[in-house]
Amino acid sequence: MERHEILEAMTELKLYGMRAAFDEIAGKGLARRDEIFPLLASLIRAERTHRQARSISYRMSGAKFPILKDIGKFVFANTPIDEDRVRELATGSFVDARRNVIFIGGTGTGKTHLCIGVAAAVVRARAKGRFFNLVDLVNQLEQEKAAGRTGRLAEKLLRYDLIAIDELGYLPFSQPGGQLLFHLISKLYENTSLLITTNLAFADWPQVFGDARMTTAMLDRLTHHCDIIETGNDSWRFKNRN
C-alpha cells in the first residue's frame, strides 16, 4: 500500500490523529530503524491524544460557559471559603455521588467564578455539563410550556452529569416559572448533579418562588445530598480591583 493510500484509508476510517502524525512518526521511525510495533504504538498514541482533545473541546463547547474561569486563579486568602473543599469538588467526586453544590454569598464574592471553575474542571476531565443563567433557564421552561412541549428540556438534561444554574435571587420571575423550575429540579433529583449560585439565605428563597411550601420541598431535594460553599459578603472584586 502506497503512502497516499494509507492516508486515504486513515481518513476513511476517521483516524485523523494518526493521519496528522503519520509522516513525522514514520519518518523518525525509519530513521531510527524502529520495529513495526513501536511505530504502531506511536500512531495509536497520536490517535488517542487527538480523540481526547476533540472530546474535551466538544464537551466544553456544549457546556455553554459564558466565560472560562480557573480555580487556580481564584484568591482564597482572606475569604471564608474552604479552599480544600473547593479543590476536592473540582475532582468531580460530587458528580460520582450525585451530590449538589450550592455557592451562597454576597455580590462579588466569587460564587460564579468558583461555580464555573469547578464545573469546567469536571467537564474537562470527563463529565457532560451545561451552564444556565437562572432567568434564562426559567424563560426556556416557560417557552417550552407555551409550545406544548413541557418536559422536553428536563428529559434532555437528564443525560447530563451536571447542570450549573447561576444567579438565583438576583432577578424575579413569575410564580408559574418557579413551579416549572421546581418540577425540573425534582426530575433531576438524584440523577444529575446541580451547582447553584445564590445571594439569598435559604430562608429568603420563598420571596423568589412565591410559594413557601413548594420552596421548602425544593430545598429539601437540593440539600438532601449537598455541599454548601459559603463565600461571605465582602466583595472579592472590590478588594482586588486596581
Side-chain angles (χ1 to χ4, degrees):
M1 184 179 280
E2 299 292 332
R3 173 185 173 278
H4 73 276
E5 294 175 312
I6 293 174
L7 295 178
E8 287 174 2
M10 287 179 174
T11 301
E12 182 181 340
L13 294 170
K14 299 182 179 179
L15 299 173
Y16 303 120
M18 281 190 182
R19 190 187 193 286
F22 178 78
D23 284 335
E24 180 181 358
I25 290 173
K28 289 180 178 179
L30 289 172
R32 293 193 303 259
R33 298 183 179 181
D34 286 347
E35 298 291 335
I36 187 64
F37 290 121
L39 282 173
L40 289 174
S42 295
L43 286 170
I44 290 169
R45 281 194 294 270
E47 181 63 29
R48 179 183 291 166
T49 299
H50 174 76
R51 293 194 180 198
Q52 288 173 341
R54 284 186 61 190
S55 179
I56 292 170
S57 177
Y58 176 78
R59 292 196 306 273
M60 291 295 287
S61 175
K64 306 294 184 183
F65 293 118
I67 188 171
L68 286 181
K69 296 289 186 178
D70 190 338
I71 294 298
K73 294 183 179 179
F74 190 87
V75 180
F76 288 93
N78 300 316
T79 75
I81 303 167
D82 187 334
E83 180 177 357
D84 290 340
R85 199 173 179 191
V86 171
R87 293 192 182 281
E88 172 63 22
L89 291 172
T91 68
S93 57
F94 73 96
V95 173
D96 296 330
R98 296 292 191 273
R99 294 178 64 83
N100 300 320
V101 184
I102 298 177
F103 300 89
I104 183 168
T107 299
T109 57
K111 300 183 301 297
T112 298
H113 185 140
L114 294 173
C115 178
I116 292 176
V118 168
V122 181
V123 169
R124 282 193 192 97
R126 55 196 166 88
K128 184 178 181 182
R130 181 70 164 84
F131 180 96
F132 291 96
N133 175 277
L134 180 110
V135 174
D136 291 340
L137 175 59
V138 171
N139 287 340
Q140 286 190 41
L141 292 170
E142 290 181 324
Q143 292 168 7
E144 181 184 66
K145 182 178 180 180
R149 297 178 178 177
T150 301
R152 297 280 185 88
L153 182 58
E155 291 299 326
K156 178 181 178 180
L157 297 184
L158 276 170
R159 297 194 289 271
Y160 286 75
D161 300 298
L162 64 92
I163 304 297
I165 303 175
D166 193 32
E167 296 190 338
L168 187 151
Y170 284 84
L171 292 173
F173 47 83
S174 68
Q175 187 168 341
Q179 292 171 346
L180 291 170
L181 182 62
F182 167 75
H183 289 302
L184 173 63
I185 289 173
S186 297
K187 189 78 172 179
L188 299 178
Y189 175 59
E190 294 191 327
N191 287 291
T192 300
S193 292
L194 293 170
L195 295 90
I196 295 175
T197 72
T198 181
N199 64 331
L200 296 178
F202 293 143
D204 296 327
W205 283 32
Q207 298 174 15
V208 176
F209 291 93
D211 185 322
R213 180 178 294 181
M214 181 188 71
T215 305
T216 298
M218 182 174 63
L219 278 170
D220 182 64
R221 287 165 172 77
L222 283 174
T223 60
H224 181 206
H225 309 293
C226 186
D227 291 282
I228 298 172
I229 304 297
E230 297 184 16
T231 61
N233 292 304
D234 294 331
S235 174
W236 182 87
R237 287 193 293 267
F238 180 82
K239 289 188 296 183
N240 290 276
R241 69 181 181 177
N242 293 323

